[in-house]
Amino acid sequence: MKILVTVKEVATVEDEFEIEGTEIADQYLGADLNEWDDYAVEEAVQLQEAGIADEVVTVTIGPEDCEQTIRQALAKGADRAIRVWDDALEGVDLLDVEAKTEILRGVVEEEDPDLVLSGVQSGDDSWGATGVSLAEDLGFEWAAVVNHLEHDLEDGIASVRRELEGGVEELTDVELPAVLTIQTGINEPRYASLRGIRQAQRKELDVQSLADVGVDEGVVDSDLELTDMYEPESESDVTVWEGSAEETAGELGDLLRDKGVAP
Amino acid sequence: MEFGLTEEQQQIREEVRRFAENEIVPVAGEYDEEEKYPHDVVDKAAEMGLTGPYIPMEYGGAGYSILDTSIITEELFSYDPGIALSIVSTSFGCEAIMNFGTEDQKERYLEPIAKGEKISGAAISEPDTGSDVSSVSTRAEKDGDEWVINGNKMWITNGTVGDFFVVLCETNPDAEGRYNGFSQIVVESDRDGFSAEKITGKLGIRASDTAELVFDNVRVPEENLIGTRDAAFMQQMQFFDETRTAVAAQGVGIAKGATRAALEYAQDREQFGQSISEFQAIQHKLAEMATDTEAARNLTYKSAWKVDQGEDITKLASMAKEYASRVAVDVADEAVQIHGGAGYVDDFPVERFYRDAKITQIYEGTSEIQKNVIAREMLGKGF
């Protein structure tokens, strides 16, 4: 079985920051592997270690700068990586879900995986749509916000548990090939081992252009435009009690009763 | 000339930082206060391969260079020196086995260290033997095909948690020349006649285990001898460049951690209606701390890089060790000063850095010994 994991380098922001136009000012920005993708990679590597998957391949859409981040996934156990980039993608402000879907579809068709794992969302853009959109486009079955996956995958069926709203969960079976969008907490992502980091330097990181994955440059044209960037006003307050559990549990109980959460 | 780190080295640093922030920082105060060895953290570090990173790939390590290892040491020490030492010391003594051991010894001793299954130690100092290493009196006598060892070792890192120790013993009291007649012999801690007593009440690095070892007619097979009989002093001398560079990296880490803490505090703390980082007196302190740290780092990296090139760098390693440890103590001192009263209690990590820094001027050759070495090399006096 082959697993393809979509990964992305995301922008991270310091606690205090300033907005310039429709962007957060550069000096407040860092970069890291998308948190949800870290869980997706871990899930794939665990399936490989359990002898269920034979190969784990990661795919990202991003410039050369992101290779160091992408190698994190290789250091944690992915076998090889694909990075799609193209001159046509340089300077594109907003790569929308439709464009990502088309590009990733090209890679899926080329790689022919049995299972595609993606993070539920990216920590910066937070569309939360790419995985499902990709599945729809490919005609694959899919399950979103998966927080448990049975590690047997017998008879081409993935048994998953997924989060619905309001704390409700659903147990369901998905027929492979499928796309699962992975929620944080599904596993405990490992640290890349020093041996892993060393070995990752020698693993294949294949760079492909839009043409290589069979996608037209027009893919970057979008109906969407980013018009504004602002900090939302907080609509609710948080109450914090200082002290030990013995001292504060009663106060929490009172508040929950007041709010009608507890009887 | 190339001053940049490779992509791989940057990745190592990032991942070690992640590990330290998640696994070390939350528990550092507790282990320091209770003077307790951090078995849980060391086990997790072992999973990541932080125990014995320089052990070659074929024995389960990552085969990293002294420069790579210095980067790891610096990063770990910048979060908590006590736990950091517990992690990097799990392979103490193994450099002798790596360089002078037989194939069988390497497989037997290095693999379990790299995998985190065992902990080693180097036993050199004695109650009456500190800076004057040639006065070692722990005796190993040959009896048939065994060594019989008697004596005491003092200040031994990992003493009560170690599984084996590379012990410096006198094997030929009649040897000519004060540096001849010593051998390095591996003693496993489960041998009859071996005992260890934990030393408590340390000023700093309190998570790290330190003990006095007693050898009372301890018998080990002759194949536990590392390298050449009676030539241990010469063997040991070769690692001074490495071990002193390693302590220099510890000093750089402590200075980096103390600077980081002071910078954060200075920006948060408000007095006279503004953050104290707005005051030039504080700014100048921070600037000097960062500059001294960077200078110590460059000296340390150069020393590590030269060791990796296979150069003999006695003087440079001593310079790095002496300077970086002095910077660690000075910078930690200033970090406490910036914290004011808050730095004098254990609410902030700088109090710990201040106590932890001092040991770097003492172990692996005191600052005075390092200066002796530097001057001796300058004057061409040999040893």
Side-chain angles (χ1 to χ4, degrees):
Chain A
M1 169 179 284
K2 187 198 254 188
I3 302 179
L4 185 73
V5 188
T6 64
V7 295
K8 182 188 173 194
E9 181 186 84
V10 294
T12 55
V13 189
E14 288 180 24
D15 293 342
E16 308 265 324
F17 60 90
E18 284 166 33
I19 293 169
E20 285 173 2
T22 56
E23 288 180 348
I24 292 170
D26 256 355
Q27 67 263 36
Y28 304 104
L29 292 175
D32 205 349
L33 180 65
N34 181 36
E35 188 184 356
W36 284 265
D37 299 347
D38 199 17
Y39 288 86
V41 168
E42 177 67 31
E43 199 63 19
V45 171
Q46 286 187 11
L47 284 166
Q48 189 181 43
E49 286 171 347
I52 295 165
D54 310 306
E55 192 181 24
V56 175
V57 184
T58 68
V59 56
T60 193
I61 304 168
E64 194 178 352
D65 284 353
C66 77
E67 284 196 358
Q68 197 178 328
T69 301
I70 299 315
R71 281 204 192 273
Q72 272 185 43
L74 294 175
K76 291 182 182 197
D79 297 298
R80 61 187 171 86
I82 298 166
R83 179 171 70 80
V84 181
W85 197 241
D86 202 285
D87 288 346
L89 295 169
E90 295 280 357
V92 172
D93 273 348
L94 189 69
L95 198 63
D96 66 17
V97 173
E98 200 182 353
K100 287 178 190 172
T101 299
E102 246 187 87
I103 294 168
L104 292 174
R105 187 188 63 202
V107 175
V108 170
E109 282 171 351
E110 188 184 332
E111 289 290 329
D112 194 24
D114 302 281
L115 189 61
V116 178
L117 301 182
S118 79
V120 165
Q121 63 192 55
S122 58
D124 49 6
D125 289 341
S126 302
W127 292 106
T130 305
V132 175
S133 169
L134 176 64
E136 197 62 26
D137 207 45
L138 287 162
F140 279 19
E141 291 212 356
W142 54 270
V145 202
V146 171
N147 63 12
H148 179 73
L149 170 65
E150 286 294 329
H151 284 198
D152 56 27
L153 304 176
E154 275 173 25
D155 307 323
I157 299 288
S159 298
V160 305
R161 185 178 71 211
R162 49 184 297 261
E163 276 180 31
L164 304 180
E165 296 198 346
V168 180
E169 295 185 324
E170 180 189 39
L171 296 173
T172 187
D173 286 346
V174 184
E175 204 175 311
L176 303 184
V179 178
L180 307 179
T181 77
I182 301 296
Q183 174 67 311
T184 55
I186 188 174
N187 51 42
E188 197 179 329
R190 70 196 65 193
Y191 296 102
S193 73
L194 296 183
R195 279 170 76 90
I197 292 172
R198 167 135 285 191
Q199 285 158 347
Q201 308 305 314
R202 291 193 294 269
K203 288 182 179 174
E204 181 188 333
L205 202 163
D206 186 24
V207 184
Q208 302 201 0
S209 67
L210 289 179
D212 291 336
V213 297
V215 175
D216 187 79
E217 286 185 8
V219 74
V220 301
D221 297 334
S222 178
D223 296 333
L224 295 169
E225 189 189 342
L226 188 61
T227 56
D228 198 6
M229 170 86 78
Y230 60 92
E231 274 189 86
E233 301 254 333
S234 65
E235 289 173 359
S236 57
D237 291 328
V238 66
T239 309
V240 178
W241 290 286
E242 304 267 347
S244 68
E246 287 85 9
E247 290 160 25
T248 57
E251 294 178 69
L252 173 62
D254 289 344
L255 181 94
L256 292 177
R257 264 191 295 276
D258 278 357
K259 299 276 180 194
V261 179
Chain B
M1 211 166 196
E2 173 65 72
F3 279 106
L5 298 185
T6 64
E7 198 175 282
E8 183 177 353
Q9 286 165 338
Q10 292 173 42
Q11 253 171 2
I12 295 170
R13 163 163 285 164
E14 269 300 294
E15 202 65 8
V16 173
R17 177 188 62 75
R18 254 188 277 272
F19 176 86
E21 284 182 349
N22 294 332
E23 310 295 341
I24 296 180
V25 171
V27 295
E30 174 192 332
Y31 283 109
D32 170 71
E33 193 182 325
E34 295 176 17
E35 225 165 341
K36 192 171 69 176
Y37 185 80
H39 281 288
D40 288 355
V41 187
V42 172
D43 286 350
K44 284 183 191 160
E47 274 175 38
M48 196 182 149
L50 293 173
T51 51
Y54 61 84
I55 292 174
M57 294 285 261
E58 62 260 43
Y59 304 112
Y64 276 124
S65 68
I66 300 302
L67 179 56
D68 300 328
T69 309
S70 298
I71 292 166
I72 294 168
T73 298
E74 175 190 338
E75 204 59 25
L76 288 173
F77 271 74
S78 79
Y79 289 94
D80 181 66
I83 293 179
L85 182 63
S86 301
I87 293 169
V88 303
S89 70
T90 50
S91 61
F92 271 13
C94 285
E95 64 281 348
I97 297 169
M98 216 170 99
N99 287 281
F100 295 103
T102 61
E103 192 54 39
D104 173 61
Q105 287 171 334
K106 289 180 190 175
E107 280 173 24
R108 192 148 39 109
Y109 297 118
L110 298 182
E111 277 202 31
I113 294 295
K115 290 180 178 161
E117 296 159 0
K118 287 190 175 169
I119 293 169
S120 64
I124 300 171
S125 296
E126 297 182 359
D128 299 317
T129 302
S131 295
D132 179 11
V133 182
S134 67
S135 66
V136 159
S137 66
T138 293
R139 189 83 172 86
E141 285 174 284
K142 201 68 185 289
D143 180 26
D145 54 5
E146 290 182 320
W147 290 103
V148 183
I149 302 168
N150 281 287
N152 288 22
K153 291 289 179 182
M154 196 68 180
W155 312 119
I156 306 308
T157 300
N158 297 332
T160 71
V161 298
D163 296 285
F164 64 86
F165 298 88
V166 178
V167 183
L168 185 63
C169 304
E170 187 175 46
T171 41
N172 182 7
D174 303 325
E176 283 185 24
R178 53 194 287 243
Y179 297 110
N180 294 323
F182 301 98
S183 302
Q184 285 173 305
I185 299 173
V186 174
V187 178
E188 295 87 350
S189 59
D190 57 2
R191 297 276 178 195
D192 288 340
F194 173 95
S195 61
E197 189 166 349
K198 186 171 170 109
I199 296 170
T200 56
K202 293 204 300 279
L203 174 67
I205 54 163
R206 288 159 59 93
S208 172
D209 185 75
T210 312
E212 179 172 6
L213 309 185
V214 179
F215 304 88
D216 181 12
N217 280 315
V218 177
R219 289 179 168 267
V220 300
E222 61 183 352
E223 59 262 30
N224 279 25
L225 174 80
I226 302 295
T228 307
R229 183 175 172 168
D230 295 346
F233 207 84
M234 288 309 184
Q235 288 177 192
Q236 191 60 42
M237 291 272 290
Q238 300 195 18
F239 307 121
F240 283 170
D241 290 352
E242 282 177 42
T243 55
R244 286 171 179 168
T245 303
V247 176
Q250 296 176 9
V252 175
I254 292 170
K256 174 177 173 169
T259 305
R260 184 198 297 130
L263 182 64
E264 195 180 320
Y265 184 82
Q267 287 170 291
D268 286 348
R269 171 72 172 170
E270 292 192 358
Q271 284 292 280
F272 305 102
Q274 59 182 348
S275 135
I276 62 168
S277 64
E278 299 293 321
F279 295 110
Q280 202 171 46
I282 300 292
Q283 290 175 357
H284 283 191
K285 278 189 198 296
L286 290 168
E288 282 173 20
M289 290 158 76
T291 306
D292 290 351
T293 305
E294 186 61 26
R297 179 180 291 117
N298 278 318
L299 201 47
T300 302
Y301 285 8
K302 182 174 177 185
S303 180
W305 182 81
K306 287 249 184 193
V307 174
D308 287 332
Q309 306 309 308
E311 294 182 34
D312 191 3
I313 52 148
T314 309
K315 185 172 68 176
L316 183 63
S318 285
M319 286 174 165
K321 199 272 183 188
E322 193 281 322
Y323 184 71
S325 60
R326 176 153 44 103
V327 166
V329 169
D330 290 351
V331 168
D333 182 27
E334 285 290 55
V336 171
Q337 191 67 23
I338 288 172
H339 280 67
Y344 200 68
V345 289
D346 59 7
D347 294 354
F348 291 91
V350 285
E351 175 264 354
R352 217 166 50 239
F353 282 122
Y354 183 77
R355 292 186 284 106
D356 290 341
K358 188 62 196 173
I359 191 62
T360 60
Q361 289 190 306
I362 298 171
Y363 60 21
E364 288 301 324
T366 61
S367 294
E368 292 72 20
I369 290 289
Q370 305 306 334
K371 287 178 190 172
N372 288 353
V373 171
I374 297 162
R376 189 188 67 205
E377 292 282 319
M378 290 168 72
L379 296 163
K381 286 191 174 171
F383 69 88

